[in-house]
Amino acid sequence: MSRPGLDKWYAYMKSHDTAALWDLLHPDAVFESPVVHTPQRGRDITFKYLTGAAKVLGGPTFKYLGEWTNDTGAVLEFENEIDGIKINGVDIISFDAEGRITHFKVMVRPLKGINLLHRLMGDELMKQTGGATSQSPSR
């Protein structure tokens, strides 16, 4: 199975090359957060969430544990430890025919981990938007 989109995602997670991430996202990409009620629509907001998550969650102890794929997507299980809390979750990623991300959903456990990520992502998104955002993860 050809997996150019997934290979580019893994490359981004290693390099944190934001230009590569931008190119990987479909203009109509949708992001679903474990703490935001509504899907976030469009490349701009999806980019902000994914770059923020890479800073908050993608530190040196972040690792993918498993991978389940089909012709149009992947489910990637991950874990990391932040502030003594072990966080476990999955990234559910859909790709178009050109290998661009069209849909990205994150699910996280345990509740302590979700609460920590909610706070840290809120802080990171506020930094990205200069202190004001209409797409706050507290929505």
Side-chain angles (χ1 to χ4, degrees), residues 2-23:
S2 176
R3 44 184 264 168
L6 186 56
D7 291 341
K8 288 178 184 178
W9 173 252
Y10 281 132
Y12 164 70
M13 287 300 292
K14 286 182 184 176
S15 71
H16 296 275
D17 176 359
T18 55
L21 175 61
W22 182 262
D23 291 342

Side-chain angles (χ1 to χ4, degrees), residues 80-92:
N80 199 355
E81 187 172 320
I82 302 173
D83 295 344
I85 298 173
K86 191 169 191 173
I87 298 170
N88 175 248
V90 293
D91 292 332
I92 304 169

Side-chain angles (χ1 to χ4, degrees), residues 45-109:
I45 193 67
T46 300
F47 179 81
K48 287 178 185 176
Y49 272 90
L50 291 175
T51 56
K55 289 179 184 173
V56 167
L57 190 57
T61 59
F62 177 91
K63 63 183 169 185
Y64 281 115
L65 305 172
E67 171 187 297
W68 298 266
T69 62
N70 65 21
D71 291 339
T72 60
V75 176
L76 309 175
E77 182 183 10
F78 64 83
E79 75 175 12
N80 199 355
E81 187 172 320
I82 302 173
D83 295 344
I85 298 173
K86 191 169 191 173
I87 298 170
N88 175 248
V90 293
D91 292 332
I92 304 169
I93 310 170
S94 297
F95 300 97
D96 68 7
E98 287 79 43
R100 295 177 299 178
I101 294 173
T102 57
H103 193 244
F104 199 109
K105 181 188 295 186
V106 180
M107 301 177 81
V108 174
R109 62 166 300 279

